[in-house]
Amino acid sequence: MALLTILEFPDPRLRTKAQPVTVFDAALKQLVADMFETMYAAPGVGLAATQVNVHRQLLIMDMSEDKSDPHVLINPRLLDQGGEQVFQEGCLSFPGIYADVERALRVKVAAQDVDGKPFELEVEGPLAVCMQHEMDHLQGKVFVDYLSPLKRSMLLKKLDKKRKQSA
Ligand code: GNR
Ligand code: NI
């Protein structure tokens, strides 16, 4: 097991589009284990491979209080979505800043598990927010991209200020 380094904005590598996973081997299972360790330690409720500088279509999530609801989605594809919700989002690549984002209320995706076996998953509410947030990372998109230019520049200034304080 190993803790991985999480890329932070404005690292240009966060803009990389992930490639499909084609090999379902022991190294992939190790990466998934390391991503869970990294996400739980952060702590966070989701993590996309992009954030740990692995540009493959792989994301994990666990919104439970007690690490009891882990999800691994490999090569996820959106099948259907509906409704809308506004949720206050944060991101491990933007430590300490939060903003309301509007997204679909429910999403249905097709994906593969760590063995390459296909499955479908339909979620709604906060878990659907997390899923959309992570799927965006795999496309090089981040939550502040949804904000108005003014709101975005205010938040990025705040991020800068926090960084200077902790430096
Ligand atoms: O830990 C996280 N919390 C969170 C809160 C609201 C909406 C989305 C998220 S995902 C985030 C972890 C992260 O950055 N995943 O990419
Ligand atoms: Ni994120």
Side-chain angles (χ1 to χ4, degrees), residues 57 70 79 85 89 98-99 133 137 144 147 152 156-157:
Q57 292 171 19
L79 295 178
Q85 63 179 323
E89 300 194 16
Y98 303 90
H133 176 117
H137 275 302
V144 299
L147 308 178
R152 181 167 53 238
L156 295 180
K157 262 180 214 148

Side-chain angles (χ1 to χ4, degrees), residues 44-47 51 87-92 129 133-134 137:
V45 298
L47 189 66
Q51 291 176 281
F87 196 89
Q88 190 182 63
E89 300 194 16
C91 182
L92 295 172
V129 170
H133 176 117
E134 305 314 337
H137 275 302

Side-chain angles (χ1 to χ4, degrees), residues 4-9 14 35-48 51-52 60 89-98 133-134 137 143 159 163:
L4 307 172
T5 302
I6 298 175
L7 302 180
E8 292 188 6
F9 184 89
L14 286 170
M35 284 176 63
F36 271 109
E37 190 184 0
T38 303
M39 179 184 79
Y40 288 136
V45 298
L47 189 66
Q51 291 176 281
V52 294
I60 62 170
E89 300 194 16
C91 182
L92 295 172
S93 298
F94 295 76
I97 69 166
Y98 303 90
H133 176 117
E134 305 314 337
H137 275 302
F143 80 119
L159 181 65
R163 285 235 176 79

Side-chain angles (χ1 to χ4, degrees), residues 9 15 94 101 136 140-148 152:
F9 184 89
R15 295 302 185 180
F94 295 76
V101 176
D136 276 353
K141 189 164 176 135
V142 292
F143 80 119
V144 299
D145 296 347
Y146 291 98
L147 308 178
S148 70
R152 181 167 53 238

